[in-house]
Amino acid sequence: MSAYSLPDLPYRYDALEPHIDAQTMEIHHTQHHRGYVDQLNTTLDTTDELRAAGDQPVEDLLWNLGKIPEESRNAVRNFGGGHANHSLFWTVLSGDGGGEPTGPIARVLEEEFGSFEAFKARFTTVATGHFGSGWAWLVKARNRLVAYSLPNQDSPLAAEEVPILGLDLWEHAYYLRYQARRRDYVDAFWNIVSWDEVNRRWEAAEQL
Ligand code: MN
């Protein structure tokens, strides 16, 4: 049995046009994300211990990554991270997103970074400055909001930090439309951030 499955996108592949094109979204979802799910399931379907680990939500699997046997841990980090990261990514984007944040996250971003513009500049610097493949993250780390990047498909959850907002920096996420212009992709991202979902994730993280 397959422990994890590919979630549907909460919108059509063309919903984020012109900021992210439909072809990129379709390939990203049906090829890349599906690949992570399939490889995660293949990795876990090898021993009883790993099959049991696959009974928990993927977020918990990563939070408890240290309990995975060492010989399988890197595969679970990569494929489990790939599944969790993309599952978050689709939800924090919206064709109706962008603009200035509202709700509790607006106040917390101002407290932590001084202003929304200062946060945006910081996150943009993190995203454009990251070398190679990886993700830019806004996370709840203990009681602070922090922006940083991680390589590959590493998830903040593996460090017991809760991702609130993430931006995929792999070339597969933007190369068809933006080629080597990662900065243009990052700038476009601000037009499609779902602050409703970011608020929902912040409030859920506060309950942990
Ligand atoms: Mn990706």
Side-chain angles (χ1 to χ4, degrees), residues 2 19 38 52 58 61 72 79 91 110 116 130 156 180 183 197-198:
S2 297
H19 308 294
D38 290 349
V58 68
L61 179 70
S72 304
F79 305 137
T91 68
E110 202 175 305
F116 170 61
H130 180 84
R183 173 61 195 255
E197 177 64 15
V198 174

Side-chain angles (χ1 to χ4, degrees), residues 152-185:
N152 306 318
Q153 294 295 350
D154 288 3
S155 166
L157 292 163
E160 300 188 354
E161 298 181 348
V162 184
I164 305 295
L165 176 64
L167 176 59
D168 192 339
L169 301 175
W170 286 57
E171 287 182 345
H172 68 229
Y174 62 87
Y175 215 82
L176 288 180
R177 173 147 297 178
Y178 296 99
Q179 292 87 48
R181 301 185 307 277
R182 183 189 283 181
R183 173 61 195 255
D184 290 353
Y185 162 68

Side-chain angles (χ1 to χ4, degrees), residues 28 32 36 86 135 153 168 170 172-173:
H28 203 170
H32 294 277
Y36 295 123
H86 289 85
W135 290 71
Q153 294 295 350
D168 192 339
W170 286 57
H172 68 229

Side-chain angles (χ1 to χ4, degrees), residues 106-147:
R107 177 177 46 76
V108 184
L109 287 173
E110 202 175 305
E111 281 170 14
E112 290 284 356
F113 297 93
S115 67
F116 170 61
E117 286 305 320
F119 158 69
K120 197 172 154 182
R122 164 77 184 138
F123 192 94
T124 297
T125 298
V126 166
T128 54
H130 180 84
F131 183 76
S133 295
W135 290 71
W137 294 108
L138 175 68
V139 307
K140 180 171 179 280
R142 286 165 293 283
N143 288 316
R144 304 292 305 272
L145 260 188
V146 185

